[in-house]
Amino acid sequence: GKTTFASHMVRSAVSGEPFLGEPTKKTKVMYLTEQSPTSFRKVLERAGLTEREDLFVLFWHEVTDWMWPEVVRLAADKALEVNAGVLVVDSVGQFAGIKGDAENSAGAALEAMKPLQEAAARRLAVVLTRHERKGGGEVGESARGSSAFGGAVDVILSIRRAEGNVRPTVRVIESLSRFD
């Protein structure tokens, strides 16, 4: 659901249409994806994002030999060059190259978040996705790895399947935010 949610949010941003009943500001988007071009094409088709000139995509396989801070810096530079207002990283763990138990390290989490915070300081809205841990948990604690990831952002959304006898497409969205 992370990528589906993000891609539909991006569709609203590039079109300037409301998202989840809330207004958006029309802007171009730079999207970093861990998916292959073939599978991401399906994401774009489902979200109505094929053939857009206001969506720029960078695939993880294109930058596997690059250092994470350099990937973010170049993606942010490109976003600003084309007047994009949003940088999406789907998913941060894959792009940042966090391996194994390092995901649980606050130091590794803060190091991964630093270039994204620098991009945000350049007036980009930064959206990142993370995988949920097997045990789930409350919003702010349910994502895999260190809680330092959540401490470095302004808004946390948790998206999960609804429990009980509901349609399989129903999701529950919970949030924590520094904003009202």
Side-chain angles (χ1 to χ4, degrees), residues 70-133:
E70 186 69 4
V71 171
V72 176
R73 187 182 64 74
L74 291 174
D77 287 350
K78 178 66 175 181
L80 294 170
E81 173 189 321
V82 300
N83 294 315
V86 179
L87 171 64
V88 178
V89 182
D90 184 15
S91 74
V92 70
Q94 180 82 9
F95 269 93
I98 301 171
K99 295 178 178 55
D101 290 340
E103 195 171 40
N104 297 319
S105 162
L110 293 173
E111 195 65 27
M113 293 302 293
K114 182 179 176 188
L116 296 172
Q117 291 172 308
E118 291 168 354
R122 295 174 71 187
R123 303 188 62 101
L124 284 169
V126 178
V127 176
L128 59 99
T129 67
R130 293 176 52 215
H131 297 279
E132 189 168 86
R133 61 185 164 109

Side-chain angles (χ1 to χ4, degrees), residues 99-180:
K99 295 178 178 55
D101 290 340
E103 195 171 40
N104 297 319
S105 162
L110 293 173
E111 195 65 27
M113 293 302 293
K114 182 179 176 188
L116 296 172
Q117 291 172 308
E118 291 168 354
R122 295 174 71 187
R123 303 188 62 101
L124 284 169
V126 178
V127 176
L128 59 99
T129 67
R130 293 176 52 215
H131 297 279
E132 189 168 86
R133 61 185 164 109
K134 287 184 176 30
E138 297 296 317
V139 63
E141 299 174 1
S142 62
R144 228 169 46 190
S146 172
S147 61
F149 285 106
V153 300
D154 292 327
V155 179
I156 300 172
L157 294 178
S158 172
I159 303 166
R160 53 176 72 127
R161 291 194 166 124
E163 296 180 12
N165 189 20
V166 296
R167 292 186 326 270
T169 56
V170 172
R171 298 295 182 268
V172 174
I173 302 172
E174 296 177 297
S175 67
L176 286 177
S177 177
R178 296 180 200 262
F179 307 111
D180 292 338

Side-chain angles (χ1 to χ4, degrees), residues 48-67:
L49 287 168
T50 55
E51 310 304 323
R52 298 291 308 216
E53 293 183 7
D54 44 12
L55 174 62
F56 303 87
V57 178
L58 176 66
F59 294 96
W60 173 77
H61 75 270
E62 296 173 327
V63 294
T64 56
D65 293 335
W66 297 22
M67 298 300 293

